[in-house]
């Protein structure tokens, strides 16, 4: 069964550095998402992406964050200047459809980001 | 704004027994989807079951079933014949027409032999 793949599985970065988290969604999926989960807390929505633009973003997704689909397969999340509170598990998800048309979102295994 | 509430931080169940996890949500939408995701210690997010709000029939998936009460905005998960592999954090999630998922705080399921 096709799956969403995320790399790296664990990223350690110095505070203030830029970090790029990579995701390869399922090939025939059109909608892409990033979520994060701070340790011991619930999963929080960051951003959704469709047709090469952001569909929706949460208040967490400030100017330090950006997303990109640089080619036909990758979907990246960039954090420009990392802060200690960015330490979390970041999940990428993709789906064929959206909302009421709905197809379930398939999640990658996550990237654990540790900011030192 | 929609909210998802899971009031049980932890539930314990013996192997082969049944456990029910509760979830309530708040929305003004009429068209939406509800999900239960399982997160084992590896922290993967695994889809367990989903329910379309327009369907009255409760979804079932092998040993997992839901009790969806739309008027009460309640969506509980029943795990029957619990197995050691069911031990995990379970998240209830609401999906709106824009597609984003909103998760509850989670319920840790502990399965004892």
């Amino acid at each position: 069964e096709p799956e969403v793949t995320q790399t790296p599985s664990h990223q350690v970065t110095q505070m203030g550095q830029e970090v790029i988290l990579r995701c390869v969604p399922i090939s025939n999926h059109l909608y892409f998402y990033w979520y994060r989960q701070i340790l011991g807390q619930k999963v929080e929505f960051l951003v959704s992406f469709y047709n090469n633009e952001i569909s929706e973003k949460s208040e967490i997704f400030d100017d330090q964050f950006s997303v990109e689909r640089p080619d036909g397969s990758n979907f990246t999340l960039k954090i420009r200047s990392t802060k200690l509170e960015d330490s979390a598990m970041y999940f990428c998800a993709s789906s064929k459809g959206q909302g009421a048309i709905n197809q379930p979102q398939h999640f990658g295994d996550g990237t654990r980001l540790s900011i030192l | 704004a929609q909210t998802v509430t899971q009031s049980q931080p932890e539930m314990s169940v013996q192997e082969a027994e049944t456990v029910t996890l509760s979830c309530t949500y708040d929305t003004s939408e009429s068209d939406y989807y509800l999900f239960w995701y399982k997160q084992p210690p590896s922290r993967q997010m695994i889809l367990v079951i989903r329910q379309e709000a327009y369907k009255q029939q409760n979804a079932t998936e092998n040993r997992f079933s839901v009790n969806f009460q739309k008027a009460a905005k309640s969506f509980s998960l029943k795990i029957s014949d619990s197995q050691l592999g069911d031990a995990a954090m379970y998240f209830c999630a609401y999906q709106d027409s824009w597609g984003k998922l909103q998760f509850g705080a989670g319920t840790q399921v502990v399965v004892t032999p």
Side-chain angles (χ1 to χ4, degrees), chain A residues 31 33 35 37-45 48 55-56 88-89 91 95 97-110 112, chain B residues 3-4 6 31-33 35 37 39 41-47 50 52 54 89 91 94-106:
Chain A
Y31 295 83
Y33 307 85
Y35 295 84
Q37 184 184 29
I38 295 170
L39 187 63
Q41 299 186 22
K42 67 180 179 182
V43 179
E44 301 171 290
F45 168 78
S48 58
S55 305
E56 188 178 4
M89 182 75 98
F91 291 102
S95 65
Q98 174 195 23
I101 301 170
N102 184 259
Q103 296 290 324
Q105 292 178 27
H106 295 257
F107 281 75
D109 288 348
R112 180 174 298 179
Chain B
T3 57
V4 179
Q6 292 179 252
D31 193 13
Y32 51 88
Y33 288 75
F35 301 85
Y37 280 88
Q39 187 178 47
S42 63
R43 297 188 74 185
Q44 293 172 289
M45 292 292 287
I46 302 165
L47 177 64
R50 68 168 173 163
E52 294 89 341
Y54 62 85
M89 182 72 89
F91 290 99
Y94 167 99
Q95 184 176 34
D96 64 16
S97 56
W98 291 98
K100 75 178 182 191
L101 286 166
Q102 290 178 270
F103 290 85

Side-chain angles (χ1 to χ4, degrees), chain A residues 35 41-45, chain B residues 1-8 21-28 32-37 72-77 90-96 100-107:
Chain A
Y35 295 84
Q41 299 186 22
K42 67 180 179 182
V43 179
E44 301 171 290
F45 168 78
Chain B
Q2 295 87 8
T3 57
V4 179
T5 303
Q6 292 179 252
S7 58
Q8 305 152 316
L21 311 184
S22 67
C23 173
T24 59
Y25 58 95
D26 185 30
T27 184
S28 57
Y32 51 88
Y33 288 75
L34 297 163
F35 301 85
W36 281 97
Y37 280 88
K73 296 179 183 172
S74 169
F75 182 60
S76 61
L77 174 70
Y90 287 79
F91 290 99
C92 177
Y94 167 99
Q95 184 176 34
D96 64 16
K100 75 178 182 191
L101 286 166
Q102 290 178 270
F103 290 85
T107 296

Side-chain angles (χ1 to χ4, degrees), chain A residues 57-89:
Chain A
K57 60 183 181 179
S58 71
E59 58 275 9
I60 302 169
F61 194 88
D62 61 22
D63 292 344
Q64 294 299 313
F65 291 88
S66 63
V67 289
E68 194 177 34
R69 189 154 162 82
D71 52 43
S73 59
N74 290 284
F75 178 52
T76 61
L77 174 69
K78 183 195 291 186
I79 309 175
R80 251 179 285 282
S81 178
T82 50
K83 303 187 280 275
L84 293 176
E85 53 265 37
D86 294 328
S87 294
M89 182 75 98

